[in-house]
């Protein structure tokens, strides 16, 4: 379970975004819905331990991760969190297998790679270079890389943002299928995908602050 309590993040320009209290239960899928700049990506980064909140707490399975040292948060993220980035963060001149194989440098067991690629219908591209893949195929590789380590928590930042709706819908369905039993929190601005999730949270209602400035900080 992930608990968000009295959370706030202040940026260098002195703008602060405040979050209402939220709870994300283990084994359920959540969509964070809202316009660009409402603090969705910032929340994912705080949960992942990439950003530190200015105030408040992120409590994961009873441990206040937001108060932990950066080294502890980094270790937790590597071992327990699968992060699917909006821009994929794949290396174009490397193959699918090599992009996932990089995880070995962090001590991650990737023995389940082939099964995960098959589950996502991308196994036949295992030895293809990323630059030769379509947008939908790249997104599936990014999902496979995040999930191959069997994380307890999956954070997905606009997992369909670079795809047309038909392909994006397929990707979301596959993501939910391979995420069963995990806690999945996905950021999106496309409410047409809401029907696939256990719960939809309207972030326009769950945050307050100067969102135009926050948009610049989030890079959305």
């Amino acid at each position: 379970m992930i608990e968000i309590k009295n959370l706030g993040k202040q940026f260098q320009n002195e703008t602060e975004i405040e979050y209402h209290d939220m709870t994300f239960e283990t084994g359920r899928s959540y969509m964070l819905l809202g316009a660009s700049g409402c603090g969705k990506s910032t929340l994912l980064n705080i949960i992942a331990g990439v950003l530190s909140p200015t105030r408040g707490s992120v409590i994961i399975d009873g441990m206040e991760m937001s108060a932990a040292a950066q080294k502890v948060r980094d270790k937790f993220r590597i071992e327990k969190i699968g992060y699917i980035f909006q821009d994929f963060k794949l290396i174009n001149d490397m193959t699918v297998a090599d992009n996932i194989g990089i995880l070995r440098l962090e001590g991650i067991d990737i023995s389940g790679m082939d099964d995960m690629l098959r589950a996502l219908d991308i196994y036949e591209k295992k030895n293809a270079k990323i630059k030769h893949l379509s947008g939908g195929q790249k997104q599936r590789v990014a999902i496979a890389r995040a999930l191959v380590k069997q994380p307890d928590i999956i954070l997905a930042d606009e997992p369909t943002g670079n795809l047309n709706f038909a392909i994006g819908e397929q990707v979301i369905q596959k993501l939910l299928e391979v995420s069963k039993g995990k806690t999945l929190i996905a950021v999106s601005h496309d409410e047409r995908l809401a029907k696939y999730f256990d719960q939809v949270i309207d972030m326009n209602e769950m945050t307050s602050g100067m969102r135009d400035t926050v948009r610049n900080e989030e890079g959305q």
Side-chain angles (χ1 to χ4, degrees):
M1 178 183 290
I2 303 171
E3 300 172 86
I4 305 299
K5 295 184 176 181
N6 195 36
L7 197 67
K9 175 63 179 176
Q10 188 166 9
F11 298 100
Q12 292 181 351
N13 57 18
E14 300 184 357
T15 295
E16 182 178 43
I17 186 164
E18 301 173 352
Y19 296 92
H20 296 187
D21 290 356
M22 290 175 263
T23 298
F24 302 98
E25 297 179 2
T26 301
R28 290 177 61 82
S29 60
Y30 299 84
M31 173 188 273
L32 306 185
L33 186 66
S36 294
C38 68
K40 305 185 302 295
S41 295
T42 295
L43 180 60
L44 288 195
N45 283 325
I46 292 174
I47 291 173
V50 176
L51 289 178
S52 298
T54 307
R55 60 176 175 81
S57 302
V58 174
I59 303 169
I60 303 179
D61 293 336
M63 181 177 180
E64 189 171 346
M65 294 303 299
S66 51
Q70 188 63 53
K71 184 177 180 179
V72 173
R73 286 184 284 163
D74 290 344
K75 184 175 186 292
F76 184 86
R77 181 174 61 256
I78 290 169
E79 294 179 352
K80 302 293 186 180
I81 296 177
Y83 207 140
I84 302 165
F85 298 93
Q86 182 176 0
D87 58 356
F88 309 141
K89 295 195 182 302
L90 300 171
I91 301 174
N92 283 326
D93 285 323
M94 290 174 62
T95 67
V96 169
D98 287 341
N99 268 272
I100 296 174
I102 288 175
L103 294 176
R104 292 194 189 98
L105 299 176
E106 297 178 340
I108 302 298
D109 177 9
I110 65 165
S111 58
M113 176 176 66
D114 287 357
D115 288 340
M116 184 60 65
L117 291 175
R118 288 189 183 98
L120 290 162
D121 297 330
I122 196 68
Y123 178 76
E124 71 279 4
K125 297 294 184 180
K126 177 181 175 180
N127 296 312
K129 290 188 176 181
I130 297 298
K131 64 184 178 183
H132 296 143
L133 302 184
S134 68
Q137 290 169 336
K138 290 177 182 178
Q139 189 60 279
R140 290 172 192 240
V141 175
I143 291 171
R145 184 185 57 189
L147 299 190
V148 72
K149 61 182 177 180
Q150 297 295 313
D152 296 329
I153 299 165
I154 301 155
L155 306 176
D157 192 358
E158 294 282 5
T160 65
N162 297 293
L163 311 175
N164 65 45
F165 178 73
I167 295 174
E169 189 174 35
Q170 293 174 11
V171 166
I172 284 293
Q173 290 174 315
K174 281 293 181 183
L175 174 59
L176 288 164
E177 180 181 324
V178 298
S179 300
K180 287 181 179 178
K182 315 290 186 181
T183 303
L184 170 63
I185 306 173
V187 160
S188 182
H189 62 271
D190 193 339
E191 48 188 79
R192 293 175 295 177
L193 298 170
K195 62 184 178 181
Y196 294 109
F197 290 81
D198 293 324
Q199 185 174 340
V200 177
I201 299 175
D202 186 346
M203 293 298 288
N204 295 307
E205 297 179 355
M206 296 300 291
T207 60
S208 60
M210 295 177 62
R211 295 176 183 141
D212 285 343
T213 306
V214 174
R215 181 182 300 116
N216 294 329
E217 297 288 346
E218 287 193 303
Q220 293 188 25

